[in-house]
Amino acid sequence: MYVAGIDSSTQSTKVLVLDTDSGQVVRQGRASHPGGTEVDPGEWFTALQAAVTDAGGLEDVAALAVGGQQHGMVLLDADGQVIRPAQLWNDTKAAPAAAALVEEKGREFWAEAVGSVPVASLTVSKLRWIADNEPQNVGRIAAICLPHDWLTWKIMGSGRLEDLVTDRSDASGTGYVDCDDASYRYDILAHALRISEAEARQIILPRIAGPAEVVGEASAEFGGGKVAPGCGDNAGATLGLNLAHGEASVSLGTSGVVAARSDHPVRDAVGGVTGFMDASGQWLPLACTLNGSLVQDYFCRILGTDYKELDALAQAGEPGCGGMVMIPYFVGERTPNLPDATGRILNLRPEAMTRENFARLAFESLACHMRATLEAVRAGGIEISSAMVVGGGAKSSVLLQILADIMQIPLSLPAPGEYVAKGAARQAALAAGAELGPKWDPQVIKQVSPGQAPPSWEIFRKAMGDLL
């Protein structure tokens, strides 16, 4: 039996068709999305059609599911037409609106109610921005959904707003879903849009389906198979990695992300952890940093090296960098919430300032930053004893060893892959009734055990505390 997993990310749509018996990808397709922080959702549908064609069609697929970028705001009128371009997660113009929501209700209210304190990326902040900047559109809103919800709806093809459906993981990133029971908080929706709760209840929100529920059938264009609820991209990657309890995923990309499964909701009013739900009926507390592996790019430029030479220099550097520690908040920071912070280097001494130590400083500072992010997640009562590392930064074996040494947990590196799409395919396979064995688990190509911890983390932690 074949199933399909679709990843509609910020940059592109990927379609994987997998064999449920072997867990192997049998064919795949891809199509790009336009850039920007606002996008016409029709562009996603066009890309989906192109990616499906590139993958050889879905006529032989028993079930499919969509994983998608989170938080994007899609507003529909009574005829199911898109009212305005979708504001994406990376659209920051709602930052003042998010700050206003926090000031009006208080950080504790938001953490207790929905598990996340509003920031610009959350849907609830974008709705407040609409209320304040495009009030003429508020009265036109008949339905509000997220990118993956809209695509799932288009794949089923009924055109009825009542058929909109989502899942717990993506819904939990809106900022108006209760973090305990996954019910909509219409009082919060009304507050964000500056309307009455009675008016808010007239707006159609996607039904929140259970994990691996069959929510409908695909139209003939998409093969006519069963459709699963889909999920947000972070939850999709967790499914694709088959993350176990006690195991974190650490993503080293332009930003850094630490996420872990939990059997209870996490409510963090101060540390920057978002209390998302996962796609299996549990929770997925997640902390995201603004500063990630770009620190390597900065130091390649400063030292006049490429990545390979930076690795060699860092390997030759002194553990602890001769006492130097860097706080890599170059573009402000989200975890912890220090939007106006800048980078800084502490304990500069002449004997420490070698090219090798500066190269190692880039790696140790990133590792310390990710350790701090890990500790923020642990503070929610989550036990983490190991991690899987993904993202472009994971290509450096030197960085992986330094990360293991500073985090003091064993790390696993899975083979490169489209794990959001594979997670969506896993959900589709379960919806189709398939029994999935270990062949669906990711192939681990490298394991790294922690060595002696350098002194950097304790110095970093104290310096970070001085900034808070």
Side-chain angles (χ1 to χ4, degrees), residues 41-259:
E43 299 281 1
W44 302 330
F45 191 66
T46 299
L48 172 63
Q49 291 172 311
V52 167
T53 299
D54 191 39
L58 301 178
E59 287 74 14
D60 56 349
V61 165
L64 63 81
V66 179
Q69 55 177 306
Q70 293 190 251
H71 314 308
M73 178 187 66
V74 182
L75 305 179
L76 303 177
D77 66 16
D79 296 322
Q81 298 300 307
V82 175
I83 293 173
R84 69 177 315 283
Q87 287 185 15
L88 307 188
W89 66 273
N90 56 354
D91 190 322
T92 60
K93 61 176 171 281
L101 290 171
V102 174
E103 183 176 357
E104 290 159 9
K105 292 286 191 179
R107 300 180 69 87
E108 291 291 343
F109 167 84
W110 290 102
E112 286 296 318
V114 299
S116 301
V117 177
V119 292
S121 60
L122 295 193
T123 321
V124 71
S125 306
K126 301 179 190 306
L127 291 174
R128 170 55 67 87
W129 186 92
I130 290 291
D132 290 345
N133 294 275
E134 298 178 3
Q136 73 279 8
N137 282 329
V138 173
R140 298 178 60 199
I141 299 173
I144 302 170
C145 58
L146 301 167
H148 116 258
D149 312 342
W150 185 82
L151 282 169
T152 300
W153 182 66
K154 293 291 284 186
I155 286 169
M156 293 190 293
S158 76
R160 288 169 28 92
L161 294 178
E162 293 79 8
D163 292 335
L164 283 163
V165 65
T166 190
D167 88 306
R168 298 168 75 256
S169 71
D170 217 5
S172 67
T174 61
Y176 46 86
V177 168
D178 189 286
C179 64
D180 273 320
D181 63 8
S183 62
Y184 284 116
R185 291 288 302 264
Y186 286 95
D187 59 325
I188 292 176
L189 183 66
H191 182 76
L193 285 171
R194 300 191 188 278
I195 59 177
S196 70
E197 186 170 339
E199 290 172 307
R201 288 183 177 275
Q202 296 303 306
I203 296 173
I204 293 174
L205 301 176
R207 181 177 69 84
I208 301 174
E213 177 184 336
V214 177
V215 300
E217 290 185 354
S219 66
E221 179 182 3
F222 297 101
K226 297 176 180 178
V227 177
C231 51
D233 52 5
N234 289 297
T238 300
L239 280 180
L241 291 168
N242 199 22
L243 212 63
H245 280 283
E247 183 178 37
S249 66
V250 176
S251 176
L252 299 176
T254 303
S255 62
V257 178
V258 175

Side-chain angles (χ1 to χ4, degrees), residues 15 20 31 77 96 121 127 132 169 211 301 330 353 381 403 440:
V15 175
T20 57
D77 66 16
S121 60
L127 291 174
D132 290 345
S169 71
R301 188 173 69 221
F330 297 108
M353 293 189 290
L403 188 67
W440 275 73

